[in-house]
Amino acid sequence: MSQATDRLAAIAARRAAGERGGIASICSAHPLVIEAALRHGKARGADVLIEATCNQVNHEGGYTGMTPADFRRFVETIAGKVAFPLDRLVLGGDHLGPNPWKHLPAPEAMAKASRMVDAYAEAGFTKIHLDASMGCAGEGAAPPDATIAARAAELAEVAEAATGRTGGTRPVYVIGTEVPVPGGALEAMDHLAVTTPAAARETVRIHSEAFSRHGLDQAFSRAIGVVVQPGVEFGNAEVIAYRPEAAKALASTLQGLPQFVFEAHSTDYQPAAALSALVNDGFAILKVGPWLTFALREALYGLSHIADILVPDPARETLPAAMERVMLASPGNWKNYYHGSEAEQRIERHFSYSDRIRYYWPAPEAQQATEALMQALGDRDIPLPLISQYLSRLDGAVANGSVAPKARDLLIASVTEVLDIYASATS
């Protein structure tokens, strides 16, 4: 993966030299999303950056049950299936820090975070976002900035030791964080604030000093990105679009930070013009995740309606009904995020932009229901009028022959449609 990592490492230098461009960071563990991303990259001859979060994948398994080594094998198996060249793949770790263990005292949480970072680096993840911004037990919401930077440097030292031990590619680093922390927005959307230029510069300064105290100046020279809030976010039913004028001062900060680009999180559901404007302004790494699984869920639900018409079977539970049953049986991944009446919560469980349903697709009952749907439809050609009715965004592509009217192809195409928007913005 070193060639793609080398190209990623040069992203800030290319921008400083006047080249416009960026890269989408695919933040998902769904196999169809991964497959769509790799097929998309292969068709364009482009690098693909796939990231796992600290809660999703860690040395203890995370909520996916995968360690970093497992996740790498998972992605590379799909890459082999679609003949995607591994020298164009970059694997990243997002928000790597104590967040999964912040209920523990800081020494214990950081010990676990260190083992996680070691596992990521040992497994060959070469883009490492260091995020120690969350307070641990007894610390409040967030520790002082100097403590955050010191903990990030401590974790970078672990990553450097791991790659030195394995002889792997030295990682590039991303520093800083955004509000909210991983898990989703809970605060009111109207309180969203753009990162100030002073805060961005201070993030770089304190991290540089902390790395230097650990003798990690060479490692810090590979820091390429700073996570900031450019003024974008989404909630359950609304999206705050990027306004270049509101982030003009922040964007201009990069003139004094030629080593860096900005990394923007929560860019899902942004208008195409807003994503292009973000890249133009130096927010060159665009994170996207829920939008991809949201698009996949839309297609799956559309196919469920189509199956009820083409192959009616009273004994087959509809996919929405199955997912409702699965989510109600295990409410932990949505109950703190969806509020209002029972009817409002039901709508949000299935259709919220925050897409908390994505946590349930790996559940055995959800997989069984999805497989039953796909088996019912099989490899049959789905009539265009049904595609127009239930998957209307894809009917043009089916009509012109660029997408086959088959269930699996339609799922991949639904995700690819979102990837195309990011490719246009970043290329």
Side-chain angles (χ1 to χ4, degrees), residues 321-332 334 342 345-346 349-350 360:
M323 295 308 295
E324 175 74 352
R325 178 169 51 79
V326 170
M327 288 187 285
L328 288 177
S330 302
W334 61 264
E342 286 295 323
Q345 289 181 40
R346 186 181 190 283
R349 279 194 294 274
H350 294 272
Y360 294 90

Side-chain angles (χ1 to χ4, degrees), residues 178-180 185 187 189 192-195 228-235 238-244 247 263-271 274-275 278 283 286-287:
E178 89 293 351
V179 177
E187 77 281 2
M189 299 279 282
L192 191 66
V194 175
T195 301
V228 292
Q229 174 51 270
V232 302
E233 189 54 87
F234 59 90
E238 60 183 319
V239 178
I240 296 180
Y242 179 61
R243 296 188 300 118
E263 178 170 288
H265 292 209
S266 299
T267 70
D268 305 73
Y269 314 107
Q270 289 289 307
L275 291 174
L278 280 163
F283 303 90
L286 303 179
K287 312 283 280 196

Side-chain angles (χ1 to χ4, degrees), residues 269-278 291 421-422 424-425:
Y269 314 107
Q270 289 289 307
L275 291 174
S276 293
L278 280 163
W291 194 1
I421 298 171
Y422 279 84
S424 178

Side-chain angles (χ1 to χ4, degrees), residues 129 174-178 195 203 225-229 261-265:
H129 171 212
V174 172
I175 57 175
T177 191
E178 89 293 351
T195 301
T203 294
V226 183
V227 177
V228 292
Q229 174 51 270
V261 296
F262 287 138
E263 178 170 288
H265 292 209

Side-chain angles (χ1 to χ4, degrees), residues 97-109:
N99 190 62
W101 307 283
K102 62 186 178 183
H103 60 285
L104 300 174
E108 294 178 45

Side-chain angles (χ1 to χ4, degrees), residues 335-354:
K335 66 179 179 179
N336 292 329
Y337 297 85
Y338 299 153
H339 307 289
S341 67
E342 286 295 323
E344 288 169 333
Q345 289 181 40
R346 186 181 190 283
I347 291 171
E348 290 178 341
R349 279 194 294 274
H350 294 272
F351 305 110
S352 167
Y353 283 140
S354 66

Side-chain angles (χ1 to χ4, degrees), residues 95-116:
H95 291 289
L96 299 193
N99 190 62
W101 307 283
K102 62 186 178 183
H103 60 285
L104 300 174
E108 294 178 45
M110 283 299 295
K112 286 182 176 288
S114 294
R115 289 195 289 276
M116 174 179 65

